[in-house]
Amino acid sequence: MTAYRRRGRDRAVHACFSVREAPGITVTVSHDGNGLVTTARHTAQRALAEAGRGYLGGRVELRTPRPPAQAATRPSAFGTRRRRAVRRAADRAVALAVAATLRGDAAGIRVHVRPPL
């Protein structure tokens, strides 16, 4: 008998970056419960600075999977690892979106969330 693994919904982070001439990064996040705004802003600033374009600013749109529900009795280790995996995927997606925009490629980037072990 084969076991079928139930496929979850879309477990990917979508990031889109648009450049502005004014300095400063604006971040919009679909589901934010764990400080993704600050992480995305710092990642975009770092990526712009590494590309030698630290004087530019921009706007980051970040769509993340819905965060896991919190347990009523105690925090779940799986939930913590899942939030950490989403944060790492968001970090990669923002950096790739900034680099793609500066190259002139498509601005939308999709990075799969690696499942926690």
Side-chain angles (χ1 to χ4, degrees):
M1 179 176 189
T2 60
Y4 291 100
R5 194 169 83 177
R6 184 177 170 195
R7 297 198 62 149
R9 284 179 250 150
D10 189 23
R11 304 251 186 228
V13 173
H14 301 267
C16 184
F17 182 76
S18 57
V19 178
R20 290 189 310 211
E21 293 294 324
I25 304 291
T26 307
V27 180
T28 307
V29 180
S30 61
H31 298 290
D32 183 30
N34 51 6
L36 284 179
V37 171
T38 306
T39 302
R41 183 177 297 120
H42 287 274
T43 302
Q45 288 172 343
R46 186 180 66 235
L48 283 170
E50 286 177 357
R53 303 282 194 259
Y55 57 90
L56 292 175
R59 184 170 145 238
V60 177
E61 294 178 25
L62 199 60
R63 289 189 312 239
T64 61
R66 182 171 296 162
Q70 294 291 329
T73 57
R74 62 186 173 92
S76 169
F78 179 76
T80 303
R81 282 182 264 165
R82 172 123 169 74
R83 284 189 296 275
R84 199 173 298 143
V86 169
R87 190 178 306 131
R88 282 193 306 263
D91 192 39
R92 286 191 310 271
V94 169
L96 290 172
V98 170
T101 301
L102 293 177
R103 278 193 315 265
D105 294 343
I109 298 294
R110 182 177 175 183
V111 174
H112 288 282
V113 176
R114 294 179 183 152
L117 300 175

